[in-house]
Amino acid sequence: MRAIYLIGFMGSGKTSVAKALREKLSVESVDTDEKIELAAEKTIPEIFKIEGENRFRDYETKVLKRLSNRNIIVATGGGIIERTENVTWMKRNGIVIYLHTSWEEIADRLTNDETRPLWKQSEQDRKKLYQNRESNYISASDEIVGTDKKTPKKIAEEIIDLINNN
Ligand code: S3P
């Protein structure tokens, strides 16, 4: 099996879908955000506050490139597509699946979220980020799966079908 990279905006369900895929495929799943927090010995809000977003992106690229194992499911952070080298890496090492979630559903899921620094900005800026990233997610991905109103289990089943038909 090739590595499976899940990409998509904050709140698109990458971590939950990775876990559902892990159960179905019996393959290890990892979350880049979790690995970054371990490497930095800080939470993500602390990294953004103390070291800044650029440093966070450095950690993200480093963590991504350490996961060279082929049999792995990787739940990435929403900004993984901000660096072209990350996209090149993922495309070279596995299949990249974009979990597409509508703006309305994202806004609903993240209403009171306090853990994501880039969500803690004005509604207008959040929406701009969502719109600006959309084309990057599309061009970075091999496959696109819509997630609105679907359970992680259902999304995982759709992903497995896509992989089997590839
Ligand atoms: C980010 C998304 C977050 C996390 C960090 C930055 C982003 O991950 O990596 O807060 O730039 O969109 P999730 O997509 O898992 O929320």
Coordinates of all heavy atoms in Angstrom, one line a residue, residues 8-12 14-15 31-33 36 44 48 53 56-57 60 76-80 82 110 115-118 129 133 137, ligand 1:
G8 N -6.9 19.0 3.7 CA -8.2 19.7 3.8 C -8.2 20.8 4.8 O -7.3 20.9 5.7
F9 N -9.2 21.7 4.8 CA -9.2 22.8 5.7 C -9.4 22.3 7.1 O -9.8 21.2 7.4 CB -10.4 23.7 5.3 CG -10.2 25.2 5.8 CD1 -9.3 26.0 5.2 CD2 -11.0 25.6 6.8 CE1 -9.1 27.3 5.7 CE2 -10.9 26.9 7.3 CZ -9.9 27.8 6.7
M10 N -9.1 23.2 8.1 CA -9.3 22.9 9.5 C -10.8 22.5 9.6 O -11.7 23.1 9.0 CB -9.2 24.2 10.3 CG -7.8 24.8 10.4 SD -7.8 26.4 11.2 CE -7.8 27.6 9.8
G11 N -11.0 21.4 10.4 CA -12.4 21.0 10.7 C -13.0 20.1 9.6 O -14.1 19.8 9.6
S12 N -12.1 19.7 8.6 CA -12.7 18.9 7.6 C -12.7 17.4 8.0 O -13.2 16.5 7.2 CB -11.9 19.0 6.3 OG -10.5 18.7 6.5
K14 N -9.9 15.4 9.1 CA -8.8 14.6 8.7 C -8.4 13.6 9.7 O -8.2 12.4 9.5 CB -7.6 15.5 8.3 CG -7.9 16.4 7.2 CD -6.8 17.5 7.0 CE -6.6 18.4 8.2 NZ -7.2 19.6 8.2
T15 N -8.4 14.0 11.0 CA -7.9 13.1 12.1 C -8.9 12.0 12.3 O -8.5 10.8 12.4 CB -7.7 13.9 13.4 OG1 -6.8 14.9 13.1 CG2 -7.2 13.0 14.5
D31 N -0.8 11.8 13.0 CA -1.3 13.2 12.8 C -0.1 14.1 12.9 O 0.6 14.1 13.9 CB -2.3 13.4 14.1 CG -3.1 14.6 13.9 OD1 -2.6 15.7 13.6 OD2 -4.4 14.4 14.1
T32 N 0.1 14.9 11.9 CA 1.3 15.8 11.9 C 1.3 16.8 13.0 O 2.3 17.1 13.6 CB 1.5 16.5 10.5 OG1 0.3 17.2 10.2 CG2 1.8 15.5 9.4
D33 N 0.1 17.3 13.3 CA 0.0 18.3 14.4 C 0.4 17.7 15.8 O 1.1 18.3 16.5 CB -1.5 18.8 14.6 CG -1.9 19.7 13.5 OD1 -1.0 20.3 12.8 OD2 -3.1 20.0 13.3
I36 N 4.2 17.4 15.7 CA 4.8 18.7 15.9 C 4.8 19.1 17.4 O 5.8 19.6 17.9 CB 4.0 19.8 15.1 CG1 4.2 19.5 13.6 CG2 4.5 21.2 15.4 CD1 3.3 20.3 12.7
I44 N 0.2 23.7 19.9 CA 0.2 24.5 18.6 C 0.0 26.0 18.9 O 0.7 26.8 18.4 CB -0.8 23.9 17.6 CG1 -0.1 22.6 17.1 CG2 -1.0 24.9 16.4 CD1 -1.0 21.8 16.2
F48 N 2.7 29.0 17.8 CA 2.3 30.2 17.0 C 2.7 31.4 17.8 O 3.2 32.4 17.2 CB 0.8 30.1 16.6 CG 0.5 29.5 15.3 CD1 0.6 28.1 15.2 CD2 0.2 30.3 14.2 CE1 0.3 27.5 14.0 CE2 -0.1 29.6 13.0 CZ 0.0 28.3 12.9
E53 N 4.3 31.6 13.0 CA 3.8 30.6 12.0 C 4.9 30.0 11.2 O 4.9 28.9 10.9 CB 2.7 31.3 11.2 CG 2.2 30.3 10.1 CD 1.0 30.8 9.3 OE1 0.5 31.9 9.6 OE2 0.6 30.1 8.4
F56 N 6.4 27.2 12.8 CA 5.5 26.1 12.9 C 5.6 25.4 11.5 O 5.6 24.1 11.5 CB 4.1 26.6 13.1 CG 3.0 25.5 12.9 CD1 2.8 24.7 14.0 CD2 2.3 25.4 11.7 CE1 1.8 23.6 13.8 CE2 1.4 24.4 11.6 CZ 1.2 23.5 12.6
R57 N 5.6 26.1 10.4 CA 5.7 25.5 9.1 C 7.0 24.7 8.9 O 7.0 23.7 8.2 CB 5.6 26.6 8.0 CG 4.3 27.3 8.0 CD 3.1 26.5 7.6 NE 1.8 27.2 7.9 CZ 0.7 26.6 8.2 NH1 0.6 25.3 8.4 NH2 -0.4 27.3 8.5
E60 N 6.4 21.5 10.6 CA 5.5 20.7 9.8 C 6.2 20.0 8.7 O 6.0 18.8 8.5 CB 4.4 21.7 9.3 CG 3.2 21.0 8.7 CD 2.0 22.0 8.5 OE1 2.3 23.1 7.9 OE2 0.9 21.7 8.9
T76 N -2.9 15.4 7.9 CA -2.0 16.6 7.9 C -2.7 17.8 8.5 O -4.0 17.8 8.7 CB -1.6 16.9 6.4 OG1 -2.8 17.3 5.7 CG2 -0.9 15.8 5.7
G77 N -2.0 18.9 8.8 CA -2.6 20.1 9.2 C -3.2 20.9 8.0 O -2.7 20.7 6.9
G78 N -4.2 21.7 8.2 CA -4.8 22.4 7.1 C -3.9 23.2 6.2 O -4.2 23.5 5.1
G79 N -2.7 23.6 6.8 CA -1.9 24.5 6.0 C -0.7 23.8 5.4 O 0.2 24.4 4.9
I80 N -0.8 22.4 5.3 CA 0.3 21.7 4.7 C 0.6 22.1 3.3 O 1.7 22.0 2.8 CB 0.0 20.1 4.8 CG1 1.3 19.3 4.7 CG2 -1.0 19.7 3.8 CD1 2.0 19.1 6.0
E82 N 0.6 25.0 2.1 CA 1.2 26.3 2.1 C 2.6 26.3 1.5 O 3.1 27.3 1.0 CB 1.2 27.0 3.4 CG -0.2 27.3 4.0 CD -0.8 28.5 3.4 OE1 -0.2 29.3 2.7 OE2 -2.0 28.7 3.7
L110 N -16.6 24.3 13.8 CA -15.5 25.0 14.6 C -16.0 26.2 15.4 O -15.2 27.0 15.9 CB -14.4 25.5 13.6 CG -13.6 24.4 12.9 CD1 -12.5 25.0 12.1 CD2 -13.1 23.4 13.8
T115 N -8.5 26.0 19.8 CA -7.2 25.4 19.7 C -6.5 25.7 18.4 O -5.4 25.3 18.2 CB -7.4 23.9 19.7 OG1 -8.2 23.5 18.6 CG2 -8.1 23.4 21.0
R116 N -7.2 26.4 17.5 CA -6.5 26.7 16.2 C -6.3 28.2 16.0 O -7.2 28.9 15.8 CB -7.4 26.1 15.1 CG -7.6 24.6 15.1 CD -8.7 24.2 14.1 NE -8.8 22.8 13.8 CZ -9.6 21.9 14.5 NH1 -10.3 22.3 15.5 NH2 -9.6 20.7 14.2
P117 N -5.0 28.5 16.1 CA -4.6 29.9 16.0 C -5.2 30.6 14.7 O -5.6 31.8 14.8 CB -3.1 29.9 15.9 CG -2.7 28.6 16.5 CD -3.8 27.7 16.2
L118 N -5.2 29.9 13.6 CA -5.7 30.6 12.4 C -7.2 30.7 12.3 O -7.8 31.3 11.4 CB -5.1 30.0 11.1 CG -3.6 30.1 11.0 CD1 -3.1 29.4 9.8 CD2 -3.2 31.6 11.0
L129 N -9.2 32.9 3.9 CA -8.3 31.8 4.0 C -8.8 30.6 3.3 O -8.2 29.9 2.5 CB -7.9 31.5 5.5 CG -6.8 30.5 5.7 CD1 -5.4 31.0 5.2 CD2 -6.6 30.2 7.2
R133 N -7.4 29.0 -0.2 CA -6.7 27.7 -0.1 C -7.4 26.6 -1.1 O -6.8 25.6 -1.4 CB -6.7 27.1 1.3 CG -5.6 27.7 2.1 CD -5.6 27.1 3.5 NE -4.5 27.6 4.3 CZ -4.4 27.2 5.6 NH1 -5.2 26.4 6.1 NH2 -3.3 27.7 6.3
Y137 N -5.8 23.1 -2.5 CA -6.1 21.7 -2.1 C -6.4 20.9 -3.4 O -6.1 19.7 -3.5 CB -7.3 21.7 -1.2 CG -7.1 22.3 0.2 CD1 -7.9 23.3 0.7 CD2 -6.1 21.8 1.0 CE1 -7.7 23.8 2.0 CE2 -5.9 22.3 2.3 CZ -6.7 23.3 2.8 OH -6.5 23.8 4.0
Ligands
S3P1 C1 -3.6 24.9 10.5 C2 -4.4 23.9 10.8 C3 -4.3 23.1 12.0 C4 -2.8 23.2 12.6 C5 -2.5 24.6 12.7 C6 -2.5 25.4 11.4 C7 -3.8 25.7 9.2 O1 -4.6 21.7 11.8 O2 -1.9 22.5 11.8 O3 -3.3 25.2 13.6 O4 -2.9 26.4 8.8 O5 -4.9 25.5 8.6 P1 -6.0 21.1 11.5 O6 -6.3 21.3 10.0 O7 -6.0 19.7 11.9 O8 -7.0 21.9 12.3

